[in-house]
Amino acid sequence: SSLLVLHLGRNNINNQMPHLLSSPSNLKVAILGAAGGIGQSLSLLLKTQLHYLIQANSPTNIHLSLYDINKEVIDGLYADLSHIDTPISLSAHAANDGKGGIHAALVDSDIIVIPAGMPRKPGMTRDDLFNINAKIISQLTDSIAESCDLSKVFILLISNPVNSLVPVVCNRLISHHKIDKGIEKRLLGITNLDLVRASTFLNELSPSNNGRMPYVPVIGGHSGDTIVPVFSSQSQLISTMDEPQLKHLISRVQYGGDEIVKAKNGKGSATLSMAHAACKIVTNFTNLLLGNVNSFESINYIPLLDHQNQPICKGSNELMSMIDNLQFFAIPATVTSSGVNEINYDILNHLNSYEKNELIPICLMKLKKNINSGLEFNVEEV
Ligand code: NAD
Ligand code: LMR
């Protein structure tokens, strides 16, 4: 059927669209942790933006399912968003709400976005959030395994520490024996805020003369030195900078999260910029599942091996041989409706010597530890 889709025109692709979705003519996006700082802003952005992707000749309903353990806030969020004049339907769900709770929130979901969990306070690292958030995310993973069609659903994880929690989700799904449905191809940690920052900070120092924001790939992980911005890909824009300026720019991307944690002074971390970064990613997935595109390329933190230690797709093996056998890495990859389809590892062949010999080795050393913590986590022991 994929060949068939390739040979059809766009109108016909739209007619074929229902097989991509869990429920015909209905695309459901669930947000777990919707009452939080990211969750509320992301819900607003999706409620006001996603309907622009619906094609007139394929009137798919888009449904936003809002879930949180905080019932008061979720009810208020729902009431408020429900006055917005866009054709995106909404539902609100809370734990023990007497209306199916998390199961009702998740059932028939096509895309699940997870910003549930604690944010940092000044003086904390993302790793300090591990124990509490790993427990929350493990429980949410159990609910996803029970309520969703794992042969279709995409899981987009925002909660920190992303580097360790994506492995936690992977392991938890394996413990449910559900991983054989290829879900590891559809499990992605969102690192797009790092790309958003790299683009913004570079543009501040060296604005391009075409009025467009520069695209800067950022690979590795999502925490301090594991974040590797590839500014060498914008050689023209960085050519005016001296070495200290460039090193400062790299460090600003790596520690951009701390700037916000400090400025918010105990009232949390990035929410608005994160919601913007996540909205861009959810938009890509929505476009894909509506059948508007057959694939897209994006950078996310993804598993490279499946539960039987086999490469999850084309490029996994090559990437692993370049990055010291790490099982998870943020890297450009092509995504189709069945998941990550091809890892575009060539970016590693074009790094400059500083990126390759200084940034990547530190990234790999720290990422390895983060991944091991995630793989060793057992919620039953907490
Ligand atoms: P927040 O405290 O404002 O919101 C978190 C929400 O999660 C709250 O509404 C809370 O009730 C809810 N929650 C807690 N346990 C839950 C459960 N079991 N089920 C459902 N909901 C639950 O925090 P925030 O600022 O929105 O940040 C959320 C997470 O995102 C943090 O871990 C933060 O570190 C992370 N984050 C990641 C990135 C990234 O780039 N990936 C960027 C910013 C923040
Ligand atoms: C960020 O990069 O802003 C987030 O990961 C939140 C944090 O704790 O810094």
Side-chain angles (χ1 to χ4, degrees):
S1 71
S2 57
L3 269 182
L4 184 68
V5 171
L6 281 175
H7 285 96
L8 291 170
R10 201 165 90 168
N11 296 351
N12 289 332
I13 288 174
N14 285 329
N15 292 339
Q16 295 283 314
M17 179 270 300
H19 79 279
L20 301 177
L21 303 175
S22 288
S23 168
S25 303
N26 194 28
L27 186 146
K28 179 168 171 179
V29 181
I31 304 182
L32 309 184
I38 297 168
Q40 290 202 35
S41 317
L42 178 61
S43 305
L44 173 64
L45 290 173
L46 298 179
K47 169 70 176 148
T48 54
Q49 302 300 321
L50 282 188
H51 62 288
Y52 291 121
L53 307 177
I54 300 170
Q55 304 292 314
N57 56 6
S58 179
T60 307
N61 176 57
I62 300 183
H63 182 82
L64 263 188
S65 170
L66 312 170
Y67 175 80
D68 204 287
I69 49 169
N70 190 333
K71 183 165 171 16
E72 250 173 60
V73 177
I74 207 82
D75 286 347
L77 176 71
Y78 169 78
D80 200 352
L81 291 178
S82 68
H83 288 201
I84 292 176
D85 57 349
T86 60
I88 304 229
S89 60
L90 295 169
S91 57
H93 311 269
N96 308 318
D97 60 6
K99 299 182 297 176
I102 191 160
H103 173 72
L106 285 170
V107 72
D108 287 335
S109 289
D110 299 288
I111 302 169
I112 301 170
V113 195
I114 314 183
M118 292 280 291
R120 284 199 282 167
K121 286 192 165 44
M124 289 171 84
T125 66
R126 292 181 187 78
D127 291 343
D128 295 333
L129 302 169
F130 178 69
N131 277 326
I132 180 151
N133 286 351
K135 193 171 171 202
I136 292 172
I137 298 306
S138 296
Q139 289 161 351
L140 292 174
T141 305
D142 291 352
S143 299
I144 292 170
E146 279 157 28
S147 303
C148 297
D149 180 352
L150 291 185
S151 68
K152 287 196 163 167
V153 74
F154 282 91
I155 304 174
L156 309 179
L157 186 78
I158 295 176
S159 320
N160 269 318
V162 172
N163 292 357
S164 307
L165 293 185
V166 172
V168 166
V169 175
C170 232
N171 253 2
R172 196 73 198 155
L173 289 167
I174 292 174
S175 75
H176 282 279
H177 306 291
K178 294 280 178 98
I179 199 89
D180 54 326
K181 297 192 170 171
I183 183 69
E184 55 287 71
K185 291 182 179 207
R186 289 181 296 280
L187 166 64
L188 305 98
I190 299 196
T191 57
N192 196 35
L193 182 53
D194 302 319
L195 280 87
V196 166
R197 285 183 177 137
S199 174
T200 308
F201 301 161
L202 174 60
N203 191 62
E204 274 171 25
L205 291 179
S206 179
S208 61
N209 52 18
N210 63 8
R212 299 222 181 105
M213 295 299 284
Y215 176 77
V216 181
V218 182
I219 60 176
H222 175 68
S223 179
D225 294 340
T226 70
I227 297 171
V228 179
V230 185
F231 283 112
S232 60
S233 66
Q234 288 290 352
S235 48
Q236 220 176 334
L237 291 180
I238 60 168
S239 62
T240 53
M241 287 178 213
D242 58 20
E243 199 184 309
Q245 269 179 317
L246 189 56
K247 284 191 172 166
H248 180 259
L249 179 62
I250 292 168
S251 166
R252 201 171 166 214
V253 174
Q254 294 180 319
Y255 293 92
D258 298 57
E259 270 183 33
I260 301 178
V261 171
K262 200 170 160 217
K264 291 198 175 181
N265 196 18
K267 299 239 161 40
S269 54
T271 53
L272 303 174
S273 48
M274 181 60 234
H276 163 76
C279 180
K280 287 184 165 196
I281 298 289
V282 176
T283 299
N284 284 337
F285 280 94
T286 304
N287 245 330
L288 179 72
L289 296 183
L290 288 175
N292 298 339
V293 294
N294 288 326
S295 66
F296 65 88
E297 189 190 270
S298 100
I299 299 184
N300 302 284
Y301 181 71
I302 52 175
L304 306 179
L305 294 178
D306 68 13
H307 59 294
Q308 292 172 321
N309 279 340
Q310 297 301 313
I312 70 153
C313 66
K314 211 172 142 199
S316 286
N317 271 343
E318 289 81 352
L319 177 60
M320 285 188 74
S321 68
M322 293 165 102
I323 59 164
D324 205 13
N325 280 322
L326 276 182
Q327 288 156 268
F328 300 83
F329 202 71
I331 187 88
T334 305
V335 185
T336 67
S337 58
S338 54
V340 172
N341 184 47
E342 182 168 356
I343 291 168
N344 309 325
Y345 56 88
D346 196 42
I347 187 171
L348 291 180
N349 291 319
H350 298 285
L351 300 179
N352 68 20
S353 64
Y354 182 70
E355 291 159 351
K356 188 172 166 198
N357 301 324
E358 306 278 338
L359 299 180
I360 288 285
I362 300 176
C363 161
L364 298 183
M365 189 184 69
K366 298 204 170 167
L367 204 44
K368 205 169 258 183
K369 284 191 189 153
N370 292 161
I371 292 169
N372 285 341
S373 316
L375 293 176
E376 283 161 11
F377 180 77
N378 182 351
V379 73
E380 274 77 33
E381 289 169 7
V382 178

